[in-house]
Amino acid sequence: MIELDDLDRKAAEAFPGHIVRKDLVRRFRGQFPVPTYVVEFMLGRYCASTVPEEIEEGLQMVQSQLSDRTVRAGEEELFKSKARDRGSVRIIDIITARLDAKTDSYLATLPSLRLNDVRISDKIVLDHERMLTGGFYAEIELGYDASIAQEKGGRPFEVLSLREIQLSTRDILEKIAAGRGQLTTREWKDFLLRSIGLEPAALSTRAQDATLLRMIPFVERNYNLIELGPRGTGKSHLFQQVSPYAHLVSGGKATVARMFVNMANGQRGLVCQYDVVCFDEVSGISFDQKDGVNIMKGYMESGEFSRGRESIRAEGSIVMVGNFDVDVQHQQRVGHLFGPMPPEMRNDTAFMDRIHCYLPGWDVPKISKELFTDRFGLVSDVLAECFSGLRSQSRVNVLQGRVHFGGALSGRDQNAVNKTVSGLLKLLYPDPTVAVPDDDLEWAVRLALEVRRRVKEQQKRIGSAEFRNTQFSYVIGLDGVEKFVSTPELQSEDSIGSDPLPAGQVWAISPGGQDESTGLFRIEVTESPGGGVRILNQSPPGPFRESARIAEQNLYARSRELVGERNPREHEFALQLRSFDAAKSGEQLGVGVLVGLCSALLGKPLKGGLVIAGGITLGGSIEPIHNPIDVIELAMEKGANAVLVPVSSRRALIDLSDDVATKVQVLFYADAPDALRKALHD
């Protein structure tokens, strides 16, 4: 027995009777032919305790009941014989039903007993309509009538009663929301991860965020998520093993009748019956009708579909998971990140536009025993019931007046981001009356913008001009700074991305000197109350120290031209230089430093993809660059789309090659205020 840690003790106090040790579930894995949530349902009934003796006693009960009621391969006839001898037998199995038109009655199918003609009353079927679509696991009392067996074509087996394997308590969400208040946000995130069987300490921050994103379709209505990535990362586990409200559609044909509505009998399909419908191995999915994908697109857009005369609303979220055969970088080189999708969806930008979240499956590690937790988490059916209860709520109102999105977001983009933020905040704060701190709101907003932007980037890659602007940004608060969110797989640490850097950060190129070639640098400036300029680098190189000193004096001397009414002497600037090449001295970076100081003081970022070259004297004159062609060529190599250089370099750039000139825009400036005006983001 492992010793309880702080989170275990807090959870036991906050959620009495609703937690279970997750390693107990693994003890039964593979022993019985049922999903994880069925085992946890039994464990929650008998082992929801932290007392070792009670857990051990409960385990024996669970072992006994699962042994007596689950049908292993080869035991089918034994259970049928028991039903005949005793009159009835109890089993745990997945049950589905269908209408038999010949007898005008319902017939149930119990796959573990290989029975597909079991009598079942109309009332049981109508009380549990999901058995008419994908079916569900239940504890079933199966009866046997010998007199019917002797009739010609008789059907002696009958479902006498059943109990769904899921929680029936209605106020469970209120109890869990109250218990959540006893944990910090960090502890609650860890506890959520443990509740689905993972140990947060074994996961990176990116992997934890991706796992939380996987939960959003359970708590958000009509949420469309896609996850593509390497094999073996557990993409379908959550949708198959953790909740009875989710249904997994394995690779192959998906029928319109099963997904949406059966026109023959009016029976509603999976999206009406389940909270989440997940397509596994999505590359192999195809519909039985030509208009299947169009019906799916219409449903993903509005939550409605029309079959016949009526329009039907449903709330089931759509999840698609699949595998890359190559790594993400190679996938981007040879095509785009929707490449593994079926042909009818692969290059359809209208279909892509309906995806609210492209989850980065490559950030999730391959499943191994080190990732599984031995600690306590919520019983799966409690968690599933809470998730289902949260679907009727919304947290979009939290954004109102606090978050303002940039102009690059279209209406669909904003809707997608709103839904993702709402889902993440519901997961973090199941009680809608609790105030959401700015830090948690910003975490949710950044994640939501990233997963939606990933969709937009693929649309742009396919070549549609309408998706060209992908620079997603946001501002928190009325006086906040505009911040841009990128997708990490498009970024390289040593290259200039097309997104604006945060205010105060500048890409700059040093022309080098006698002993040093041109080099790329990033200047990072932060501003706070105080006075002076402080360089954070240990032992900063002399030429850069001199550039910083001269830039500071120019800021004080020409403050009105540069920053208006703001008084730079009332602010302290912390300055850091990062080198990305062999060049280390930071020669002639004065204009870049000065623009960085002004950007930090004004709280305005510079244009994305821009790099600045040029030095400045104490008197404010701009120093000429001796090798402007080298500077422009390096800027192109590093991914810049615009270079700001002194106007004195104009004649020397006549010899710039056509190839470079067409790839990089050269902007000229006359003095420091001119450079600042041309550098600031509009």
Side-chain angles (χ1 to χ4, degrees):
M1 173 68 186
I2 58 169
E3 190 176 333
L4 300 183
D5 66 7
D6 286 343
L7 184 52
D8 286 335
R9 283 188 283 271
K10 281 189 173 183
E13 194 175 310
F15 312 107
H18 298 306
I19 61 170
V20 68
R21 224 175 68 212
K22 292 294 172 172
D23 62 321
L24 301 180
V25 184
R26 297 200 297 279
R27 190 181 294 193
F28 294 97
R29 185 168 293 159
Q31 281 192 53
F32 305 102
V34 291
T36 302
Y37 66 81
V38 173
V39 177
E40 281 206 33
F41 176 80
M42 309 295 287
L43 289 171
R45 191 187 291 174
Y46 299 111
C47 301
S49 169
T50 57
V51 180
E53 294 78 14
E54 292 178 8
I55 290 174
E56 204 54 48
E57 189 178 323
L59 281 173
Q60 292 173 16
M61 292 285 291
V62 173
Q63 182 80 35
S64 170
Q65 291 212 8
L66 287 173
S67 298
D68 291 345
R69 297 182 182 181
T70 55
V71 184
R72 293 185 180 86
E75 292 183 342
E76 301 90 346
E77 299 306 321
L78 176 63
F79 274 79
K80 291 177 191 176
S81 175
K82 285 180 182 177
R84 177 178 177 270
D85 294 343
R86 301 174 188 172
S88 68
V89 67
R90 288 186 178 275
I91 64 168
I92 295 174
D93 197 4
I94 189 167
I95 182 169
T96 57
R98 71 183 190 282
L99 180 65
D100 181 29
K102 290 180 182 177
T103 59
D104 190 32
S105 62
Y106 289 104
L107 295 177
T109 297
L110 300 173
S112 68
L113 293 178
R114 291 191 294 200
L115 290 173
N116 57 12
D117 59 350
V118 181
R119 289 176 292 119
I120 185 168
S121 71
D122 294 6
K123 184 178 187 312
I124 294 178
V125 174
L126 296 175
D127 285 347
H128 305 278
E129 280 194 333
R130 280 198 301 153
M131 69 173 70
L132 291 166
T133 51
F136 55 86
Y137 273 90
E139 293 179 293
I140 300 159
E141 185 182 4
L142 182 68
Y144 183 89
D145 189 328
S147 62
I148 296 178
Q150 293 169 17
E151 297 174 4
K152 184 180 179 181
R155 291 167 172 152
F157 291 101
E158 181 183 11
V159 174
L160 300 176
S161 65
L162 64 80
R163 177 183 180 186
E164 287 192 48
I165 301 281
Q166 62 190 78
L167 197 73
S168 57
T169 312
R170 283 288 167 208
D171 63 344
I172 190 64
L173 180 56
E174 288 76 14
K175 291 179 181 176
I176 299 305
R180 155 69 179 99
Q182 298 179 41
L183 305 181
T184 65
T185 300
R186 178 68 265 164
E187 288 170 339
W188 176 246
K189 279 186 185 178
D190 289 351
F191 187 62
L192 273 180
L193 293 169
R194 285 182 176 180
S195 295
I196 63 167
L198 299 175
E199 180 51 51
L203 297 170
S204 67
T205 302
R206 290 283 297 172
Q208 290 181 24
D209 288 348
T211 307
L212 290 169
L213 284 167
R214 284 177 176 173
M215 300 180 193
I216 296 178
F218 290 94
V219 300
E220 192 70 22
R221 295 170 176 168
N222 301 110
Y223 190 77
N224 306 321
L225 177 146
I226 186 167
E227 178 181 358
L228 301 173
R231 299 173 196 279
T233 57
K235 290 186 282 291
S236 59
H237 169 78
L238 193 65
F239 307 103
Q240 186 176 29
Q241 299 287 345
V242 173
S243 171
Y245 291 109
H247 184 82
L248 193 73
V249 178
S250 295
K253 274 203 181 297
T255 67
V256 171
R258 188 173 172 223
M259 274 297 296
F260 300 104
V261 65
N262 188 329
M263 292 298 290
N265 57 17
Q267 179 60 48
R268 303 297 165 90
L270 296 173
V271 294
C272 301
Q273 300 288 340
Y274 287 90
D275 288 351
V276 184
V277 178
C278 174
F279 291 90
D280 194 14
E281 302 293 348
V282 69
S283 60
I285 293 287
S286 62
F287 279 94
D288 62 332
Q289 297 176 23
K290 284 185 178 179
D291 62 346
V293 172
N294 289 330
I295 296 171
M296 170 87 92
K297 274 163 46 176
Y299 173 70
M300 291 168 73
E301 171 70 19
S302 63
E304 293 185 6
F305 53 90
S306 297
R307 298 295 286 157
R309 292 182 179 178
E310 63 175 329
S311 181
I312 301 169
R313 272 209 68 82
E315 296 178 350
S317 295
I318 299 288
V319 175
M320 299 179 183
V321 299
N323 300 317
F324 283 146
D325 292 321
V326 292
D327 62 50
V328 64
Q329 285 76 24
H330 184 72
Q331 181 66 41
Q332 289 190 117
R333 282 196 298 273
V334 300
H336 55 80
L337 295 183
F338 281 92
M341 297 294 286
E344 58 267 36
M345 302 176 187
R346 188 177 300 151
N347 295 308
D348 185 346
T349 56
F351 167 77
M352 294 176 194
D353 223 17
R354 288 152 171 79
I355 300 291
H356 300 130
C357 167
Y358 190 131
L359 194 153
W362 48 89
D363 284 336
V364 183
K366 288 184 181 293
I367 293 295
S368 64
K369 62 178 187 294
E370 290 78 22
L371 296 182
F372 296 124
T373 188
D374 294 336
R375 300 291 178 179
F376 283 86
L378 286 174
V379 180
S380 284
D381 58 317
V382 171
L383 185 68
E385 201 66 36
C386 289
F387 282 172
S388 193
L390 285 168
R391 291 173 74 79
S392 60
Q393 302 178 15
S394 174
R395 298 288 189 279
V396 175
N397 61 313
V398 177
L399 292 162
Q400 291 170 3
R402 293 177 65 183
V403 179
H404 307 277
F405 294 113
L409 277 79
S410 68
R412 277 195 179 131
D413 295 330
Q414 197 151 336
N415 178 55
V417 170
N418 285 345
K419 287 177 82 73
T420 304
V421 171
S422 176
L424 288 169
L425 294 183
K426 280 192 260 190
L427 288 169
L428 255 58
Y429 295 96
D431 183 349
T433 63
V434 173
V436 178
D438 278 354
D439 286 351
D440 292 335
L441 179 59
E442 186 166 15
W443 166 80
V445 167
R446 290 192 68 84
L447 208 48
L449 285 168
E450 179 202 316
V451 295
R452 175 59 185 179
R453 177 170 176 178
R454 188 169 288 112
V455 174
K456 208 72 177 275
E457 290 288 354
Q458 310 321 306
Q459 293 173 309
K460 182 170 82 171
R461 191 170 281 240
I462 287 169
S464 297
E466 62 185 295
F467 306 113
R468 191 167 291 148
N469 188 357
T470 59
Q471 293 179 355
F472 283 10
S473 63
Y474 67 97
V475 175
I476 287 194
L478 293 174
D479 302 321
V481 174
E482 185 176 19
K483 297 179 183 177
F484 291 80
V485 177
S486 62
T487 57
E489 68 274 4
L490 294 176
Q491 297 297 104
S492 174
E493 181 67 14
D494 62 347
S495 68
I496 302 164
S498 60
D499 288 328
L501 294 170
Q505 294 193 17
V506 180
W507 289 110
I509 287 181
S510 164
Q514 290 181 339
D515 304 319
E516 196 172 73
S517 60
T518 53
L520 179 68
F521 294 84
R522 193 158 81 208
I523 300 159
E524 300 177 356
V525 183
T526 56
E527 164 275 323
S528 59
V533 172
R534 187 162 51 92
I535 299 176
L536 299 179
N537 298 69
Q538 288 187 337
S539 307
F544 176 67
R545 210 165 46 234
E546 182 65 11
S547 291
R549 184 184 70 81
I550 293 173
E552 179 184 8
Q553 295 307 315
N554 271 275
L555 177 62
Y556 296 153
R558 308 182 72 178
S559 64
R560 187 168 289 276
E561 289 178 78
L562 292 165
V563 292
E565 299 300 317
R566 291 173 176 81
N567 184 356
R569 294 184 186 276
E570 295 176 356
H571 299 262
E572 180 186 58
F573 299 91
L575 192 62
Q576 189 164 19
L577 182 71
R578 299 181 65 190
S579 168
F580 293 92
D581 288 303
K584 304 295 179 193
S585 71
E587 187 90 40
Q588 265 188 278
L589 294 180
V591 175
V593 175
L594 180 56
V595 168
L597 294 171
C598 296
S599 168
L601 188 56
L602 294 167
K604 293 182 178 179
L606 306 189
K607 291 172 180 170
L610 176 76
V611 63
I612 298 175
I616 190 168
T617 66
L618 270 175
S621 300
I622 302 299
E623 296 179 334
I625 296 174
H626 69 276
N627 56 344
I629 290 179
D630 292 346
V631 168
I632 306 299
E633 287 177 345
L634 178 65
M636 185 195 75
E637 283 174 27
K638 296 294 185 180
N641 52 39
V643 193
L644 203 52
V645 294
V647 70
S648 57
S649 303
R650 186 167 58 87
R651 287 189 181 86
L653 289 175
I654 290 173
D655 296 328
L656 193 66
S657 72
D658 292 346
D659 182 49
V660 177
T662 53
K663 289 180 179 175
V664 181
Q665 182 184 12
V666 180
L667 304 172
F668 298 105
Y669 62 91
D671 53 20
D674 187 32
L676 179 63
R677 278 192 300 274
K678 289 173 178 173
L680 285 176
H681 182 71
D682 298 330

